[in-house]
Amino acid sequence: MSEFKRISPQQAQELRSKGAVVVDIRDPQSFANGHISGSRHLDNHSLHDFITQADLDAPLIVSCYHGNSSQGAAAYLVGQGFSEVYSLDGGFELWHATYPSETAQSSEE
C-alpha cells in the first residue's frame, strides 16, 4: 500500500479482531477520558519510539476526534515505512457511538 485508506468503524473492528494496531492521536486528556480499547496514545513524544518498535507490516489504524486529523497522520506513517495504514472515518466519536462497549478510559493500555 503506497497510501493510507479510509475505513469505517465496522471495517476497523474487523481489522482489530485480526490483530491490527490502533493508535490515537488526540490530546492526552481526551485519550484518558475515552479511547478505543487496546489503542495506544501517539503524540510527538511517543512517535519515535513507536516507529522504531513497531512491526511496519502490521495493519495500523489511526484514530483522532472525527476522522480528519488522522488522515494527515496516516499519510505521515505511510511515509515512515508502514505498509498498511488506515484512517478511521468518523474518528473516536463515531467509534464510541458505534461500539460503546469497545472503549476504555484512563491510562494507556
Side-chain angles (χ1 to χ4, degrees):
M1 175 186 296
S2 60
E3 348 185 307
F4 71 92
K5 292 185 179 177
R6 295 172 54 184
I7 58 171
S8 68
Q10 293 80 2
Q11 292 168 304
Q13 177 69 329
E14 184 176 333
L15 281 173
R16 278 181 73 232
S17 71
K18 296 176 181 175
V21 175
V22 181
V23 294
D24 188 319
I25 62 167
R26 297 174 302 146
D27 68 88
Q29 185 175 356
S30 294
F31 181 84
N33 288 336
H35 54 268
I36 297 171
S37 298
S39 64
R40 178 171 175 180
H41 185 243
L42 197 60
D43 61 15
N44 290 335
H45 302 290
S46 61
L47 181 62
H48 175 75
D49 286 343
F50 174 76
I51 291 172
T52 59
Q53 298 168 7
D55 176 355
L56 299 180
D57 295 320
L60 178 64
I61 301 167
V62 183
S63 172
C64 63
Y65 296 96
H66 300 105
N68 297 318
S69 299
S70 59
Q71 293 180 51
Y76 175 80
L77 291 166
V78 167
Q80 297 305 303
F82 287 87
S83 61
E84 190 176 343
V85 183
Y86 302 92
S87 172
L88 179 62
D89 278 348
F92 176 75
E93 294 301 319
L94 183 57
W95 174 272
H96 182 63
T98 307
Y99 297 107
S101 66
E102 292 290 328
T103 61
Q105 291 183 322
S106 72
S107 64
E108 288 190 43
E109 296 184 353

